[in-house]
């Protein structure tokens, strides 16, 4: 019996328990995936071990704690510095990041992409940046404030705040900010976003479950659009494959997890 959970704060909104339990039930695996409200991220490892979990997902705001507390880090998580998946192997906690690959797989509906503009410079922007540059896509970062730009500049990525930004052409424009999540804000001034969209092909919002002002404007301006639902499902599928030691193929797990969003 696999014993799994997701840790975060807040956590009541998370779709991960539904996604994983749906896959367990329909793929006939004995397992249970619960949710755990964790206020103090430094207690993550202690609670993981006390709960005798075989694996876990870690969400906002504890992904950096997860990175620091894992016994070993594998894959792209090493570059990102954030972990969203723990797997217990031979009494060691192995940390992975499935957000980055989950995002990248979800781009397959778009055409070829040479360059991307990422609005935002938080944790999600970091994960997306690493997977894009790993796949030879040029990245530019545009953020509201200057404080978070140094991380990207150290990676030799063009990173500016709104007042210094000069618009140029981008195949893909990504909203990785939380603007539009609980409000109806654009991630930058509407006039600036319109200029950006005028020279772009695809618009992607990591927010899911609603049409944000960002996506609405992109659609009105004729861009091909996508929200963050597929990214969420893909990171879940990749985590599930790690939890179950890849007993199943990606598409059969995804088919089950997608059912959560179709009811
Ligand atoms: P962080 O808190 O790390 O970063 C937030 C970023 O958004 C910062 O760059 C911040 O700018 C910017 N921002 C916040 N509010 C505004 C605003 N009103 N206008 C302009 N910029 C704003 O958040 P995360 O990176 O962890 O999460 C970002 C989004 O990604 C959330 O909406 C989250 O729900 C979503 N997400 C989706 C996932 C999926 O699977 N689909 C997975 C993970 C996250 P500043 O530096 O100026 O404060």
């Amino acid at each position: 019996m696999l014993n799994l959970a997701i840790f975060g704060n807040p956590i009541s909104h998370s779709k991960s328990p539904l996604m994983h339990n749906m896959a367990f039930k329909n793929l006939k695996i004995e397992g249970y995936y619960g949710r755990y409200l964790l206020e103090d991220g430094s207690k993550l490892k202690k609670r993981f071990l006390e709960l005798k979990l075989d694996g876990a997902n870690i969400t906002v705001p504890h992904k950096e704690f997860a990175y620091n507390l894992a016994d070993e880090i594998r894959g792209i998580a090493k570059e990102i510095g954030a972990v969203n998946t723990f797997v217990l192997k031979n009494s060691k906690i192995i940390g992975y990041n499935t957000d980055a690959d989950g995002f990248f797989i979800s781009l397959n509906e778009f055409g070829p992409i040479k360059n991307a503009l990422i609005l935002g410079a938080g944790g999600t922007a970091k994960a997306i940046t690493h997977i894009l540059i790993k796949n030879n896509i040029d990245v530019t970062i545009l953020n509201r404030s200057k404080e978070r730009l140094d991380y990207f500049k150290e990676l030799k990525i063009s990173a500016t705040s709104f007042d210094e930004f000069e618009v140029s052409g981008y195949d893909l424009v990504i909203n990785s900010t939380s603007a539009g999540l609980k409000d109806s804000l654009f991630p930058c001034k509407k006039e600036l976003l319109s200029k950006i969209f005028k020279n772009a092909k695809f618009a992607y919002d990591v927010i899911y479950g609603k049409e944000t002002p960002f996506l609405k404007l992109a659609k009105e301006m004729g861009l091909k659009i996508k929200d963050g639902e597929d990214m969420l499902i893909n990171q879940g599928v990749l985590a599930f494959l790690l939890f179950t030691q890849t007993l199943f193929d990606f598409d059969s797990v995804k088919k089950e997890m997608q059912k959560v969003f179709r009811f």
Side-chain angles (χ1 to χ4, degrees):
M1 164 99 177
L2 274 174
N3 189 15
L4 307 168
I6 180 161
F7 292 89
N9 183 17
I11 202 60
S12 57
H13 68 288
S14 173
K15 295 263 192 262
S16 292
L18 289 172
M19 284 160 41
H20 286 266
N21 288 322
M22 177 73 84
F24 280 148
K25 182 168 166 265
N26 293 347
L27 297 170
K28 304 200 186 331
I29 301 169
E30 271 199 78
Y32 177 73
Y33 187 114
R35 65 179 84 228
Y36 191 94
L37 176 69
L38 183 72
E39 280 165 6
D40 180 355
S42 68
K43 304 251 161 66
L44 175 64
K45 185 172 184 176
K46 189 169 171 276
R47 293 305 292 135
F48 178 88
L49 295 171
E50 281 168 359
L51 292 164
K52 299 199 186 323
L53 295 173
D54 301 299
N57 284 123
I58 302 94
T59 187
V60 179
H62 301 317
K63 292 182 191 180
E64 280 165 15
F65 274 115
Y67 173 83
N68 290 319
L69 292 169
D71 296 314
E72 186 187 325
I73 304 291
R74 290 196 190 157
I76 197 160
K78 284 185 199 161
E79 282 118 79
I80 301 168
V83 154
N84 78 324
T85 304
F86 273 179
V87 179
L88 191 70
K89 264 188 202 151
N90 304 322
S91 308
K92 270 171 70 180
I93 297 176
I94 317 287
Y96 301 86
N97 185 305
T98 68
D99 288 328
D101 284 317
F103 168 79
F104 196 73
I105 295 168
S106 74
L107 295 182
N108 61 8
E109 285 164 30
F110 292 149
I113 298 164
K114 286 204 194 96
N115 58 10
L117 175 69
I118 302 178
L119 296 159
T124 308
K126 287 180 187 171
I128 289 175
T129 295
H130 281 285
I131 196 72
L132 290 178
I133 56 177
K134 195 175 161 200
N135 286 280
N136 302 316
I137 296 173
D138 277 344
V139 171
T140 301
I141 297 286
L142 177 59
N143 196 45
R144 179 177 61 179
S145 61
K146 292 191 170 76
E147 285 73 30
R148 300 191 208 226
L149 298 178
D150 286 348
Y151 174 92
F152 299 92
K153 286 180 181 165
E154 276 168 28
L155 293 171
K156 308 262 178 281
I157 285 171
S158 158
T160 52
S161 56
F162 298 159
D163 47 342
E164 296 159 350
F165 184 66
E166 285 173 30
V167 179
S168 90
Y170 299 99
D171 292 330
L172 172 65
V173 183
I174 303 156
N175 177 29
S176 83
T177 76
S178 27
L181 181 65
K182 289 181 189 142
D183 48 49
S184 50
L185 295 172
F186 286 101
C188 61
K189 281 203 175 123
K190 190 177 175 186
E191 299 71 46
L192 176 58
L193 195 57
S194 300
K195 277 190 201 155
I196 294 168
F197 283 158
K198 220 176 246 175
N199 297 295
K201 293 181 195 156
F202 314 118
Y204 191 119
D205 201 321
V206 297
I207 295 168
Y208 58 88
K210 66 182 283 195
E211 188 175 67
T212 57
F214 171 90
L215 280 190
K216 190 165 179 280
L217 180 65
K219 195 163 83 179
E220 283 164 10
M221 292 186 64
L223 278 76
K224 194 165 176 184
I225 62 164
K226 189 167 175 73
D227 76 3
E229 183 184 295
D230 210 26
M231 173 182 178
L232 175 77
I233 297 172
N234 291 342
Q235 65 73 32
V237 175
L238 294 170
F240 189 91
L241 296 178
L242 292 167
F243 297 144
T244 57
Q245 315 280 333
T246 57
L247 271 175
F248 299 91
D249 65 275
F250 184 91
D251 290 340
S252 26
V253 179
K254 184 162 181 174
K255 201 171 131 222
E256 298 309 327
M257 288 194 172
Q258 277 173 328
K259 290 179 185 164
V260 167
F261 297 85
R262 305 248 162 97
F263 285 121

